[in-house]
Amino acid sequence: MRIESLDVYYLSMPEILDIGDGSQDALLVRLQAGGHIGWGECEASPLTAIAALVCPMSHSACKPVRESVLGQRLDGVKDIQRIGNLVRENSLDLLQADHMLSGIDSAMWDLLGRRLDEPAYRLLGYERAHPKTPYASVLFGDTPQETLDKARGIRERGFRAAKFGWGPYGKGTVEADRDQVHAAREGLGKEGILLVDAGTVWVDDLAAAQLRLPALEECRATWLEEPFVSGALDAYKRLAGMCRTVRLAGGEGSHNYYMAQHMVDHAGIGYLQIDAGRIGGISVAKRAADYARAHGVTFVNHTFTSHLALSASLQPYAGAEEGALCEYPVELKPVAWAITREHLLPDADGLLRLPEAPGLGVTPALEGLRRYLVDVEIRAKGELLYRTPAF
Amino acid sequence: MRIESLDVYYLSMPEILDIGDGSQDALLVRLQAGGHIGWGECEASPLTAIAALVCPMSHSACKPVRESVLGQRLDGVKDIQRIGNLVRENSLDLLQADHMLSGIDSAMWDLLGRRLDEPAYRLLGYERAHPKTPYASVLFGDTPQETLDKARGIRERGFRAAKFGWGPYGKGTVEADRDQVHAAREGLGKEGILLVDAGTVWVDDLAAAQLRLPALEECRATWLEEPFVSGALDAYKRLAGMCRTVRLAGGEGSHNYYMAQHMVDHAGIGYLQIDAGRIGGISVAKRAADYARAHGVTFVNHTFTSHLALSASLQPYAGAEEGALCEYPVELKPVAWAITREHLLPDADGLLRLPEAPGLGVTPALEGLRRYLVDVEIRAKGELLYRTPAF
């Protein structure tokens, strides 16, 4: 079969808040081939990704992403790899292309899975999908009291693990950060797995990050996530050398396989966090997961948006051992919740299972999404390059 | 003074050819502050960069680039650094932001230099700009004969060095590539400095690259550029270990400081090539140049477009020793040539000098550019986000 159509849909809350919550908008990708439909989702700026999809060619290595996808044969897993390589070659100098490709790649796995009547993880080579331990992923409260209340709520909902991130953490004093981490630990109780996400707040300032380690170790945090921006491998490595019990986690900023590999090779991390909506899709995330495993680093999904993106980000390490951690956003904005008809909910044991259904196992709930659909129109060189299509 | 306006202009040849020639379009940036004007230029996809400039916010770390620039104070060099950091923080998850920032950063150096009546290189800390040895940068001919003719022409024009790249190189047989490299050497004569650019054609296939080394060494090529994509550090490092006389060059794909640093630390390159229009501007290129120098790697500009971009890419290593190589594109499309009123031309000794004039020392030739101006209109969420402004 050939890819006959490639449509993208920008969805957004009516109002976007200036907070670290990536669930406020989304870019959905719909592929059609041979009577089948596949869906995927891209991080992060929908309008910019659309521009990467439809822009005029600048030169032979800077072509619009759709040119490498539309009309291509899609008969098996190798075609997904081939199309990804085409995009990377033809859009080498188009920086945003990796993010746009991510949604397309996920949609290809969804479509192929539906055609072959197999879950995506089986097409990836996993016999079965082992259930994961979801960690409730939330923003720090504005105050330690708010964080305490959030942590208690998470524990009451049955989560064994929780991650607190962004918000005020790292922006004020060391003491204020200590109070936040202690509040989170108190709320989760002694047994809860506590994870802390600094959201790159120290950029590459080793000293600032080092000052936060004692509180994290007092509170038995399992990991400190993104003390630095993704590329700051040296700072990561040096901070890792200063940790006694806490491990470092990072990698969500990776937008290609090599960046993930560099984190594993040179950053001293214990956990590699990959967003299938950024790294180039499920295909690239799977390569990163295999590389991490082979090098003794634990792979974890990064997901802070819909359950379509969640399913896509879980497929690449579906075969990891039972009970491995997975990120599970629990403060989704209505648009992100509304994206899928089905939702991935923890079972009675508090474990999260991938759907035993073809492709990604979830389907967009189009009717409910209409009110979030953003009207976009892009014209250049006398042509209408993009207008929001009908669902 | 405060940045009062930020306008961008998409320029393009009427027809874009499907060849590796990056001079076929351009995105110009114009900043105004305190009665002064500064200009810069971004690689590579103008429409996608415009989208990164004006897109709606997705969340606190995915804001449109202009939000971190407009209205900011710009009184000195530290403000340029501060504004760059703001963009990187506020647009952390907006992949294309680094390319858009590149033109803005260069425009800030131009503007500040004009205000302080100093060339940008002096504001960067260089006492003087040492003349460089320009290498004529061209595409391989479709046949060895065409390459031979090109090389002879370059020699006749007085260039001591030339780089041949892209075109058929690496896409056919090892013998065909050998013939191309021999033709280039023959045309340049025994004394000419010969550089070869594989344009990432082998992605990360070490064996394919290794097969080309003998011909490069027979022909005394000074460097082999981009055998692999920027992130393929391991492949670079291993290939470097196989080279006897030829050195590796790479880094043009770097879109932040860390990527350049990784090339220096882990790729075994002899030459670090940085495009100020991609890495985040002159500011980041200067940091990369300093790092390379401190680690025994020779910094070289990457430039394949206008003389505005050329001046911007030369400023960061203006103080490097006299006669250092610099990339000098000699097959510019009319739009790229027309961008500046002044041009940087080799002197009687065949050396290239930066203009001894404020800022970048070149100014856009607006009248001549009108016919290349692309009409763009971007609407989203009921708002007109961008329409090509008047010059």
Side-chain angles (χ1 to χ4, degrees), chain A residues 181-194:
Chain A
V181 177
H182 275 271
R185 167 51 74 201
E186 186 184 337
L188 289 184
K190 279 186 187 165
E191 304 303 319
I193 296 171
L194 170 62

Side-chain angles (χ1 to χ4, degrees), chain A residues 12 18-21 25 44 58 60 63 93 95-96 204 231 233 255 258 262 278 375-377 379-381, chain B residues 12 18-20 25 44 56 58-60 63 93 95-96 204 231 233 255 258 262 278 375-377 379-381:
Chain A
S12 176
D18 192 359
I19 58 174
D21 175 0
D25 66 11
S58 285
S60 61
K63 292 177 182 168
D93 288 346
L95 192 46
Q96 193 74 23
D204 58 6
L233 304 178
H255 61 84
Y258 305 104
H262 304 162
R278 288 181 186 161
D375 274 322
V376 175
E377 204 174 285
R379 294 174 183 275
K381 299 192 171 185
Chain B
S12 176
D18 192 359
I19 57 175
D25 65 11
S58 286
H59 55 80
S60 61
K63 292 177 182 168
D93 288 346
L95 192 44
Q96 193 74 23
D204 58 7
L233 304 178
H255 62 84
Y258 305 104
H262 304 162
R278 289 181 185 160
D375 275 322
V376 176
E377 205 174 285
R379 293 174 184 277
K381 298 191 171 186

Side-chain angles (χ1 to χ4, degrees), chain B residues 147-368:
Chain B
T147 297
L148 177 67
D149 294 342
K150 279 196 186 197
R152 283 183 176 144
I154 287 166
R155 186 186 183 187
E156 280 160 20
R157 287 172 64 184
F159 285 99
R160 294 177 203 158
K163 184 174 83 186
F164 295 82
W166 298 71
Y169 190 76
K171 293 177 182 161
T173 64
V174 174
E175 290 66 37
D177 288 347
R178 178 186 301 264
D179 292 346
Q180 283 279 5
V181 177
H182 275 271
R185 166 51 75 201
E186 186 184 337
L188 289 184
K190 280 186 188 165
E191 304 304 319
I193 296 171
L194 170 61
L195 315 166
V196 172
D197 179 1
T200 78
V201 69
W202 302 302
V203 187
D204 58 7
D205 180 350
L206 185 64
Q210 188 185 0
L211 291 172
R212 273 69 181 191
L213 292 182
L216 294 167
E217 302 204 324
E218 283 159 25
C219 295
R220 291 176 296 107
T222 299
W223 79 49
L224 169 62
E225 173 174 338
E226 289 219 306
F228 311 121
V229 294
S230 278
L233 304 178
D234 279 353
Y236 266 100
K237 186 89 175 184
R238 294 174 66 190
L239 187 65
M242 298 168 175
C243 296
R244 289 179 308 135
T245 56
V246 69
R247 304 299 303 272
L248 299 186
E252 68 177 83
S254 304
H255 62 84
N256 58 49
Y257 170 68
Y258 305 104
M259 293 176 75
Q261 196 183 32
H262 304 162
M263 291 298 290
V264 169
D265 289 348
H266 303 297
I269 53 173
Y271 297 87
L272 177 68
Q273 305 171 294
I274 294 299
D275 196 317
R278 289 181 185 160
I279 199 171
I282 292 172
S283 306
V284 185
K286 171 65 161 56
R287 276 188 79 193
D290 290 348
Y291 190 81
R293 173 187 297 257
H295 291 78
V297 170
T298 303
F299 183 95
V300 191
N301 66 304
H302 173 269
T303 310
F304 214 80
T305 167
S306 78
H307 285 211
L308 177 66
L310 179 62
S311 175
S313 273
L314 292 176
Q315 306 286 340
Y317 77 123
E321 75 282 4
E322 180 160 332
L325 286 169
C326 77
E327 178 160 38
Y328 187 78
V330 292
E331 293 178 333
L332 288 187
K333 286 284 182 287
V335 61
W337 185 258
I339 282 175
T340 52
R341 213 176 296 278
E342 310 83 359
H343 293 93
L344 280 62
L345 301 174
D347 65 13
D349 296 327
L351 294 175
L352 196 72
R353 290 163 196 281
L354 270 174
E356 295 296 334
L360 300 184
V362 292
T363 40
L366 301 186
E367 325 71 53

Side-chain angles (χ1 to χ4, degrees), chain A residues 219-235:
Chain A
C219 295
R220 291 177 298 106
T222 298
W223 78 49
L224 169 62
E225 173 173 337
E226 288 219 307
F228 312 120
V229 293
S230 277
L233 304 178
D234 280 352

Side-chain angles (χ1 to χ4, degrees), chain B residues 368-388:
Chain B
L369 283 177
R370 283 215 171 80
R371 60 192 176 126
Y372 299 111
L373 192 57
V374 175
D375 275 322
V376 176
E377 205 174 285
I378 302 178
R379 293 174 184 277
K381 298 191 171 186
E383 267 188 75
L384 175 65
L385 295 175
Y386 178 84
R387 179 184 282 157
T388 305

